[in-house]
Amino acid sequence: QVQLVESGGGLVQAGGSLRLSCAASGSGFTINTMGWYRQAPGKQRELVAIVSRGGETNYANSVKGRFTISRDNAKNTVYLEMNSLKPEDTAVYYCNGNVLSAYGWTTSWGQGTQVTVSS
């Protein structure tokens, strides 16, 4: 099975920056679309940004111009560069990947990493 492990969360002041990473481990798989989602307390999980295997990206309106998603296919890793952070960006951030393996297509999720932005 494929495991996704996030890193890079933490506490930052408003206006600051953080870089999240998510690495996939395992063998015999290919990851198509990868993405970042977030869930704030009392709210539903929402899409932040996604990137196709070919590098096409899509962002939530709330993060456009501030966040940048990228990936390294050789390392099976996706990144989220977050700049000009706002208190409303506070949430648990989850990595997501659409994985093709011997089990067919599956969706994998990381365990989440906390991002807290103080005002």
Side-chain angles (χ1 to χ4, degrees), residues 12-111:
V12 65
Q13 288 187 333
S17 299
L18 281 175
R19 188 187 194 218
L20 306 183
S21 300
C22 172
S25 63
S27 62
F29 66 90
T30 299
I31 304 181
N32 191 5
T33 300
M34 300 187 78
W36 289 95
Y37 291 72
R38 67 186 181 187
Q39 187 167 18
K43 295 187 178 181
Q44 290 188 333
R45 190 174 297 188
E46 64 176 2
L47 172 69
V48 176
I50 56 173
V51 57
S52 71
R53 188 166 182 81
E56 294 180 355
T57 60
N58 196 15
Y59 296 90
N61 288 333
S62 60
V63 306
K64 281 182 181 177
R66 301 188 297 122
F67 291 11
T68 302
I69 189 171
S70 61
R71 65 188 289 172
D72 184 332
N73 290 331
K75 296 181 179 179
N76 288 313
T77 299
V78 63
Y79 307 95
L80 186 68
E81 185 75 34
M82 305 185 292
N83 298 314
S84 302
L85 283 161
K86 305 175 181 180
E88 51 263 45
D89 294 318
T90 295
V92 178
Y93 283 70
Y94 297 91
C95 172
N96 164 284
N98 293 323
V99 180
L100 178 62
S101 69
Y103 300 97
W105 283 104
T106 57
T107 298
S108 292
W109 290 92
Q111 81 287 354

